[in-house]
Amino acid sequence: MPKPPTMRSRRLAPIKDSAEHAAAYETKYAEATSKRESGDFDVAIALFTELGTFSDSVIQIKKTKYAKAVAKRESGDFDAAIALFTELGTYLDSVERMKETKYAKAVTKRESGDFDAAIALFTELGTYSDSAAQIKETQNAKAYATAVSLMNDEKYEAAINAFRALNGYSDSTEQITECTYRTAEKLRESGKYAEAYAIYLTIREYKDVEKIIANDAGITAMVAARIAEYQPGNYVTFGTYPQTKSGADQTPIEWL
């Protein structure tokens, strides 16, 4: 007949079992830490979660999520980083990092031409950093891009008005001159030499304007004809003025 277990032997079994579990937890904890250090954040989070309340696993989950958020921010995955920092709440500087990431996302949106999205993000940030100034900058950048688009579509008059509304923002003043130049070029190419010449005279020092005035056959012929026309003793027509009793006409005026 087998000898019944003593009290001592009954106590040893759970102690041995507890030690084995502790060793397994330690191993899993070390594995989770290693996974985090190697950048395998999701596996690390899963392992720390399995450990429950063992050691400081709950804190390690937050630490791992924070490290993942930082990595996402550095790789340009702003949405994932913002979501993680938001989830972490007041852990470490998560609130500040979330705002900084949203700010960086707004700047990137503006640089890619998504001005409305950038303005929305800066608006969400409220008084963070210089968000108010960035909203104004983004609005100007949007208006500038619109003006450039008008210029590229050869809508020069509209482009000039749009650049003027920017009140010197960036190189808008130079772009006004460029639009003026392109307007004159377009007129010259279509044979409207007098109109082109009148515009060239307003920007004589820009690019090759002086050379064009001096060498373009159409312009030089037009200027020569005008000089010949406006000689002492010649009659020329310039302007209009009512010359009937009713005064309802606009009759061309002939001058000596």
Side-chain angles (χ1 to χ4, degrees):
M1 183 173 181
K3 184 179 177 181
T6 64
M7 289 297 290
R8 179 177 175 79
S9 64
R10 285 197 206 97
R11 292 193 187 107
L12 286 175
I15 291 172
K16 180 182 178 183
D17 184 58
S18 176
E20 289 175 351
H21 275 79
Y25 288 160
E26 290 286 356
T27 300
K28 184 173 286 188
Y29 186 97
E31 182 185 0
T33 302
S34 176
K35 289 293 185 182
R36 179 177 65 216
E37 291 174 354
S38 66
D40 199 348
F41 303 112
D42 291 335
V43 173
I45 291 169
L47 289 168
F48 282 126
T49 302
E50 289 174 13
L51 287 167
T53 58
F54 175 76
S55 186
D56 63 345
S57 295
V58 174
I59 297 299
Q60 292 299 329
I61 290 171
K62 291 184 177 181
K63 185 176 180 179
T64 307
K65 286 182 177 180
Y66 184 91
K68 180 181 178 181
V70 171
K72 290 292 186 182
R73 163 69 182 87
E74 291 174 351
S75 69
D77 190 349
F78 300 118
D79 290 334
I82 290 168
L84 284 164
F85 283 129
T86 301
E87 180 185 340
L88 286 165
T90 57
Y91 177 74
L92 296 180
D93 61 346
S94 294
V95 173
E96 185 71 13
R97 293 301 294 265
M98 180 275 290
K99 291 179 179 179
E100 184 275 331
T101 305
K102 188 174 285 189
Y103 184 99
K105 179 183 177 182
V107 171
T108 301
K109 287 290 185 182
R110 180 176 65 213
E111 291 173 351
S112 68
D114 194 349
F115 302 110
D116 291 335
I119 290 170
L121 286 164
F122 283 126
T123 301
E124 287 176 17
L125 286 165
T127 58
Y128 175 77
S129 187
D130 61 343
S131 294
Q134 292 296 334
I135 290 172
K136 180 62 177 175
E137 170 66 21
T138 307
Q139 290 170 336
N140 283 333
K142 180 181 179 181
Y144 182 92
T146 299
V148 170
S149 179
L150 288 167
M151 180 172 68
N152 292 336
D153 290 341
E154 299 186 359
K155 298 176 181 178
Y156 300 124
E157 185 177 354
I160 288 171
N161 290 333
F163 281 124
R164 280 179 179 156
L166 284 163
N167 295 315
Y169 172 79
S170 186
D171 63 344
S172 55
T173 300
E174 289 81 0
Q175 294 296 350
I176 290 171
T177 305
E178 176 62 20
C179 286
T180 303
Y181 176 84
R182 293 189 187 187
T183 300
E185 286 287 87
K186 191 173 182 180
L187 289 166
R188 180 168 69 95
E189 289 167 4
S190 63
K192 297 179 180 179
Y193 300 112
E195 293 176 51
Y197 179 69
I199 294 173
Y200 283 133
L201 290 178
T202 68
I203 52 169
R204 294 192 71 139
E205 296 180 359
Y206 188 69
K207 286 187 174 181
D208 57 347
V209 171
E210 286 287 5
K211 187 176 179 181
I212 291 170
I213 290 174
N215 299 322
D216 183 271
I219 289 178
T220 55
M222 181 274 301
V223 171
R226 181 172 290 180
I227 291 172
E229 180 182 5
Y230 287 87
Q231 292 295 316
N234 289 353
Y235 285 94
V236 294
T237 301
F238 181 79
T240 61
Y241 192 82
Q243 295 185 31
T244 61
K245 186 175 182 179
S246 66
D249 64 305
Q250 287 296 323
T251 303
I253 305 171
E254 190 175 62
W255 303 81
L256 175 60

